[in-house]
Amino acid sequence: MDPQKKPAAAQRIKVKTADPTPVDRFNPRNRIYVRKTDGVWTQVRRRMGWIMMALFLCLPWLPWGERQAVLFDLAERKFHVFALTVWPQDLILLAFLFMMAAFALFFFTTFLGRVWCGYMCPQSVWTFIFIWFEERIEGARNKRMKLDQAPWSWNKVWRKTAKHSAWLLISLITSLTFISFFYPARELYLDFFTGQASAGIYFWGAFFTFATYGNAGWMREIMCLHMCPYARFQSVMFDQDTYIVGYDGARGEMRGPRGRKQDPKALGLGDCIDCSLCVQVCPTGIDIRNGLQYECINCGACIDACDDVMVKMNYSKGLISYTTERQLAGGRSRVGRPKLVGYGLALTGIFAAFLYMLMTLAPVQIDILRDRNQLFRENRDGLIENVYTLKILNKTERTQQFILTVEGLPEHHWLGQQQVQVTAGEIFTLPISVAVDPYLLEQAMTDIVFVLKSEDGLLNANADSRFISKI
């Protein structure tokens, strides 16, 4: 083996033990008090959170004709997304959607780490919203810590009551909004608050309310650290060129306090003043200076806090930044690496297939089933007769009149209904027979096409089949 070449295992990111002292994160006394910070990445995360929340809250109220624009009607087994209506027969689209989500997860995690967790994950978005209300009612980090340690008083009672009431209100709105994607929003709110809703609506309303209240209000980082599977398998997708929140140890060490006018080099110190603000603003409570840790959700809060300190100390920004392990080691990151390109090509291919299927989604569909008991039969008139069962699916929003014909057979006779009425969403089953004079057939098996057309001529569908004779 060439001593200049390192084995594949040596190229992996080394695992670092951040803190050998176990911390019971389930103990309320060890709860994390997140300090408020401001900066570029905090503003980006906050604005994205509000945009996601606005979309979530407003989508069920957008009208589309006589219904709401987005409605997943489980009772009627159809999903409405603006002009598109997806039926159970089209659920292959859902499979492609899941595959797209999976490969998008692989691609963006390999490229940008846990950026989904920090900026768009509902758990993070709702947690930051709950923290925002907590700061407005109970005060800044130090005030919240003192309030929790103080004995019960009127000040503590009303602040705690107001905070938890706000949390429950947000949770209830979240719950009803989520249910509104599956039940018409206008009917839901009217029935819910007038006591006319079903027991199922009240059950799921209570369930999602307390789930949101518990996850974003109490469990918070516990969900990210101990319950979310993404946090566990993300390391499989990381490599030395994955963009992570990283601390430049070569520049920051040795860390220690000093005055603004003191020269850190003369004191034998690096740029880190050991203020611990990066730890105080972290929603999962880790110290990013200990290296890459699976608990980091790439939210960038510690970057904003550190940059603010660097500006005050007249140092250069970027002691903590979005970087890669290769850059931290003094190398140059590679973007176009095979794994990332492979994920990107797979994601593009799946998206193209999904888009094609979406664009070719037919509003009507016809399936043909041949009689399996008898390939053909000769009737009393001496004609060769084949029996078929036609299944017509009307995926439009109204009742349609359809006319049926068959192409590919000379001078054939259609035995059965040739004009049918199919209601919206109905699968209409129609048994028919097609008969032909055997002297007009040139071969034992003839390819034919069943043609379905609406009465107004706007809708049509075809289905291939075969006509079998005794030749």
Side-chain angles (χ1 to χ4, degrees):
M1 181 177 177
D2 189 349
Q4 299 299 322
K5 294 184 178 180
K6 295 183 180 180
Q11 301 298 322
R12 299 174 183 170
I13 300 175
K14 296 181 180 179
V15 177
K16 303 179 181 67
T17 303
D19 187 359
T21 306
V23 177
D24 182 9
R25 297 190 185 275
F26 289 93
N27 190 331
R29 290 174 297 179
N30 294 329
R31 64 169 298 188
I32 297 172
Y33 294 87
V34 180
R35 186 189 186 101
K36 182 181 179 181
T37 185
D38 205 357
V40 175
W41 301 112
T42 300
Q43 289 294 333
V44 170
R45 186 184 68 243
R46 188 176 297 157
R47 288 173 184 174
M48 288 186 67
W50 287 119
I51 290 173
M52 297 296 290
M53 275 293 294
L55 286 174
F56 173 73
L57 293 172
C58 294
L59 271 179
W61 295 99
L62 291 179
W64 191 267
E66 297 180 356
R67 58 171 172 83
Q68 64 188 55
V70 180
L71 179 63
F72 307 126
D73 194 339
L74 299 180
E76 297 293 330
R77 294 179 299 174
K78 52 186 177 182
F79 297 166
H80 302 286
V81 182
F82 293 93
L84 177 67
T85 299
V86 180
W87 297 83
Q89 291 78 5
D90 303 317
L91 284 184
I92 188 173
L93 291 171
L94 188 61
F96 273 84
L97 197 62
F98 285 151
M99 286 192 289
M100 274 198 303
F103 276 93
L105 180 69
F106 301 156
F107 177 82
F108 286 106
T109 301
T110 302
F111 184 33
L112 299 172
R114 293 185 66 182
V115 67
W116 161 262
C117 295
Y119 289 85
M120 299 183 70
C121 175
Q123 175 67 21
S124 299
V125 172
W126 264 259
T127 295
F128 283 119
I129 291 172
F130 275 42
I131 292 175
W132 185 86
F133 277 92
E134 192 173 56
E135 290 172 346
R136 293 299 181 275
I137 296 171
E138 294 187 355
R141 178 177 183 269
N142 292 336
K143 291 183 178 180
R144 299 201 303 272
M145 294 174 68
K146 291 179 180 179
L147 186 66
D148 283 352
Q149 295 169 2
W152 285 98
S153 62
W154 169 245
N155 179 62
K156 185 172 182 176
V157 167
W158 84 259
R159 289 184 184 277
K160 291 292 183 184
T161 302
K163 180 185 76 171
H164 288 283
S165 298
W167 285 0
L168 284 170
L169 179 60
I170 299 168
S171 300
L172 178 61
I173 295 173
T174 300
S175 174
L176 293 178
T177 301
F178 181 74
I179 297 174
S180 296
F181 284 94
F182 302 90
Y183 191 93
R186 297 180 185 277
E187 298 176 23
L188 172 66
Y189 282 84
L190 182 63
D191 293 347
F192 189 89
F193 290 107
T194 58
Q196 302 299 315
S198 65
I201 294 294
Y202 284 115
F203 169 79
W204 289 113
F207 176 83
F208 289 121
T209 295
F210 286 103
T212 306
Y213 172 74
N215 289 347
W218 290 96
M219 300 184 72
R220 293 188 180 177
E221 76 283 351
I222 294 175
M223 292 290 296
C224 302
L225 304 183
H226 302 287
M227 301 181 70
C228 177
Y230 180 37
R232 298 297 181 178
F233 69 73
Q234 61 149 355
S235 58
V236 178
M237 294 173 276
F238 275 28
D239 56 37
Q240 292 184 335
D241 297 298
T242 299
Y243 279 90
I244 57 172
V245 175
Y247 166 72
D248 189 352
R251 173 186 160 187
E253 302 297 326
M254 293 288 297
R255 64 185 83 155
R258 81 294 303 268
R260 292 186 184 180
K261 297 182 179 180
Q262 291 181 293
D263 183 6
K265 293 182 180 179
L267 299 174
L269 298 173
D271 284 356
C272 179
I273 67 173
D274 204 18
C275 62
S276 77
L277 287 180
C278 56
V279 180
Q280 295 177 29
V281 299
C282 179
T284 59
I286 65 170
D287 189 341
I288 197 63
R289 296 172 297 179
N290 291 327
L292 178 63
Q293 299 151 66
Y294 82 90
E295 296 95 336
C296 178
I297 62 172
N298 265 30
C299 68
C302 56
I303 299 177
D304 290 333
C306 186
D307 282 350
D308 187 50
V309 173
M310 292 297 102
V311 169
K312 292 178 180 178
M313 296 296 296
N314 293 321
Y315 298 163
S316 299
K317 293 182 179 181
L319 180 59
I320 301 176
S321 64
Y322 282 109
T323 183
T324 67
E325 288 283 304
R326 195 180 299 276
Q327 285 180 342
L328 290 174
R332 184 176 179 181
S333 294
R334 299 174 300 171
V335 176
R337 49 201 189 274
K339 181 167 68 172
L340 188 63
V341 172
Y343 285 147
L345 290 175
L347 178 60
T348 303
I350 295 171
F351 177 73
F354 175 81
L355 197 60
Y356 172 78
M357 295 178 65
L358 199 62
M359 298 296 291
T360 58
L361 204 60
V364 294
Q365 184 177 323
I366 179 172
D367 292 323
I368 310 298
L369 300 176
R370 284 186 49 84
D371 185 2
R372 296 182 179 180
N373 297 321
Q374 193 174 20
L375 292 179
F376 65 89
R377 67 191 180 197
E378 187 173 350
N379 62 22
R380 285 179 292 181
D381 299 326
L383 302 178
I384 299 299
E385 187 175 331
N386 281 201
V387 178
Y388 303 90
T389 300
L390 280 57
K391 290 189 175 293
I392 303 166
L393 172 60
N394 177 15
K395 295 190 286 186
T396 66
E397 294 293 302
R398 60 189 181 88
T399 300
Q400 299 284 350
Q401 296 283 344
F402 292 110
I403 300 172
L404 292 156
T405 57
V406 63
E407 297 178 352
L409 285 176
E411 300 181 22
H412 63 273
H413 300 269
W414 184 286
L415 307 176
Q417 287 181 266
Q418 204 163 358
Q419 185 169 350
V420 296
Q421 177 177 289
V422 186
T423 59
E426 180 187 4
I427 300 177
F428 188 87
T429 301
L430 176 66
I432 61 103
S433 297
V434 177
V436 180
D437 189 331
Y439 294 103
L440 299 176
L441 298 172
E442 298 179 355
Q443 53 190 359
M445 188 177 296
T446 305
D447 292 330
I448 60 175
V449 179
F450 284 91
V451 179
L452 175 75
K453 290 185 178 180
S454 62
E455 205 171 38
D456 56 13
L458 298 177
L459 304 174
N460 62 81
N462 300 332
D464 296 332
S465 189
R466 290 177 178 178
F467 187 91
I468 299 175
S469 67
K470 62 181 179 181
I471 294 178

